[in-house]
């Protein structure tokens, strides 16, 4: 499994999706649904887009875990990467969310699936910081370089630097915080709309980092290991070109390969020479999701990557010859219980069957 590109992901099929009024104030990428379009119609269009993304990822050989969500009070639950991240070595992080109506997007069934299907050692829960008014919205607020262990973070209401430093200390990342603003001086609400870090290629709108010295430090840190850096314009960012994610897929023959998942809108905004650089390292998988993009996020926001080792299926172990021999010679233990067998019972009427 690639350190940077997960081979499995979590998607949430939000059946009552609509652009969230509670997040519109600081999300300059958010838009209203078309005039006259009902919430039911918006939700139905969004569901079709979610299914199309899941199908495209499966076709590319990515393992996709889909969770249904029928709760109409969670319009943004299609974006699970904001409350959850997973990390090599069996670590999971749960994050504090800025908008109060997003805080109950956190789901125990998702965490239980991870624990039962993958090797999870520790879950670190930062959500208790919400009453203190400090937030760090997962891999929306941070763009993580899992290879060089760097957490690129644009400061915002949704990315508190004190929480960032705490996360980096807990998970062994180097914090790299910076200011990022649009041409009107509005801070970027989530780092992952301006930056995507892959194994050998990165996309980032360096021009949106006003501090020239810090901009060059970010550029140097991204490219220090030989990674190609594609510079995006603000116009491309507004088409969600930065909101892409590298995943690890497999061909029908089982050969592993990297893909770059993004929206069709993002793909159309890229110049031919930018596409060529990406395709030197990844296959582009583009899906049209215009309804979901009304909420101010795109494909990357929809995907929570799983950077965990998978558990092997539990094996059913039968009765061995050695146990059979023990049962034949001396089937009852000193405490009056039989040694083996699901149907074995004790001579004593009040004794329960024994497990071996």
């Amino acid at each position: 499994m690639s350190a940077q590109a997960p081979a499995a992901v979590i998607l949430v099929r939000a059946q009552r999706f609509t652009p969230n009024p509670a997040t519109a104030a600081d999300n300059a990428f958010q838009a209203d649904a078309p005039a006259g379009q009902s919430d039911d119609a918006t939700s139905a269009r969004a569901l079709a887009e979610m299914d199309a993304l899941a199908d495209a990822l499966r076709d590319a050989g990515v393992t996709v875990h889909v969770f249904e969500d029928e709760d109409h009070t969670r319009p943004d639950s299609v974006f699970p990467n904001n409350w959850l991240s997973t990390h090599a070595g069996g670590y999971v992080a749960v994050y504090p969310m800025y908008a109060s109506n997003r805080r109950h997007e956190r789901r125990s069934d998702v965490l239980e699936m991870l624990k039962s299907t993958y090797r999870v050692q520790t879950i670190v829960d930062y959500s208790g910081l919400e009453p203190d008014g400090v937030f760090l919205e997962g891999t929306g607020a941070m763009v993580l370089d899992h290879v060089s262990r760097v957490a690129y973070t644009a400061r915002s209401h949704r990315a508190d630097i004190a929480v960032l430093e705490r996360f980096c200390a807990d998970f062994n990342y180097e914090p790299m915080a910076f200011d990022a603003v649009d041409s009107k001086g509005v801070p970027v609400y989530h780092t992952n709309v301006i930056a995507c870090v892959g194994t050998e290629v990165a996309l980032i709108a360096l021009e949106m980092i006003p501090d020239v010295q810090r901009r060059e430090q970010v550029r140097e840190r991204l490219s220090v290991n030989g990674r190609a850096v594609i510079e995006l314009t603000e116009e491309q960012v507004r088409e969600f070109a930065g909101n892409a994610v590298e995943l690890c897929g497999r061909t029908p023959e089982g050969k592993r390969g990297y893909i770059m998942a993004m929206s069709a809108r993002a793909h159309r905004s890229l110049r031919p020479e930018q596409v060529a650089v990406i395709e030197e390292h990844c296959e582009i998988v583009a899906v049209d999701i215009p309804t979901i993009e009304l909420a101010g996020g795109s494909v990357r926001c929809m995907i929570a990557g799983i950077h965990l080792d998978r558990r092997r299926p539990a094996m059913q172990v039968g009765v061995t010859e050695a146990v059979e021999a023990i049962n034949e010679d001396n089937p009852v233990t000193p405490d009056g219980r039989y040694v083996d067998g699901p149907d074995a019972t004790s001579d004593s009427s009040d004794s329960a069957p024994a497990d071996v």
Side-chain angles (χ1 to χ4, degrees), residues 221-232:
R221 194 71 183 87
L222 280 169
S223 60
V224 68
N225 62 355
R227 183 185 286 120
V229 177
I230 297 172
E231 294 195 38
L232 302 175

Side-chain angles (χ1 to χ4, degrees), residues 184-204:
K184 297 179 181 178
V186 177
V188 171
Y189 83 103
H190 270 168
T191 314
N192 75 359
V193 296
I194 67 165
C196 162
V197 176
T199 305
E200 297 179 342
V201 64
L203 294 76
I204 184 168

Side-chain angles (χ1 to χ4, degrees), residues 316-320 323-324 327 338-346 351-356:
Q316 296 292 329
V317 179
V319 177
T320 66
V323 172
E324 286 180 347
N327 279 342
Y338 280 86
V339 174
D340 186 69
D343 299 322
T345 57
S346 168
S351 295
D355 295 326
V356 173

Side-chain angles (χ1 to χ4, degrees), residues 80-123:
N81 81 308
N82 296 154
W83 70 264
L84 171 75
S85 69
T86 66
H87 304 266
Y91 296 93
V92 175
V94 176
Y95 296 99
M97 306 285 282
Y98 178 61
S100 59
N101 73 346
R102 295 204 63 194
R103 295 171 188 172
H104 63 302
E105 291 175 19
R106 294 185 289 259
R107 295 174 56 157
S108 60
D109 59 341
V110 173
L111 298 176
E112 289 303 319
M113 182 280 291
L114 290 174
K115 290 191 290 184
S116 63
T117 309
Y118 298 88
R119 297 191 177 276
V120 174
Q121 292 194 50
T122 304
I123 297 176

Side-chain angles (χ1 to χ4, degrees), residues 231-285:
E231 294 195 38
L232 302 175
T233 65
E234 181 179 334
E235 291 72 22
Q236 290 175 316
V237 164
R238 292 196 175 278
E239 299 298 306
F240 295 103
N243 200 241
V245 61
E246 185 187 72
L247 303 172
C248 187
R250 287 192 180 273
T251 67
E253 297 74 33
K255 183 178 180 182
R256 190 177 73 172
Y258 297 136
I259 69 168
M260 186 67 75
M262 64 177 63
S263 74
R265 175 180 174 183
H267 191 200
R268 288 191 296 268
S269 76
L270 295 173
R271 299 189 302 274
E273 63 272 21
Q274 293 173 318
V275 171
V277 173
I278 296 171
E279 290 183 336
E280 288 179 14
H281 309 286
C282 307
E283 175 191 355
I284 296 176
V285 174

Side-chain angles (χ1 to χ4, degrees), residues 29-87:
F29 297 83
Q30 192 167 321
D32 294 328
Q37 181 170 293
S38 68
D39 286 351
D40 286 344
T42 299
S43 298
R45 290 173 183 267
L47 276 175
E49 295 170 12
M50 296 173 211
D51 292 341
L53 176 61
D55 290 343
L57 296 181
R58 290 191 183 104
D59 289 345
V62 177
T63 299
V64 181
H65 300 276
V66 177
F67 287 81
E68 297 286 340
D69 183 17
E70 301 177 0
D71 191 337
H72 72 281
T73 68
R74 298 193 287 221
D76 274 340
S77 63
V78 69
F79 303 135
N81 81 308
N82 296 154
W83 70 264
L84 171 75
S85 69
T86 66
H87 304 266

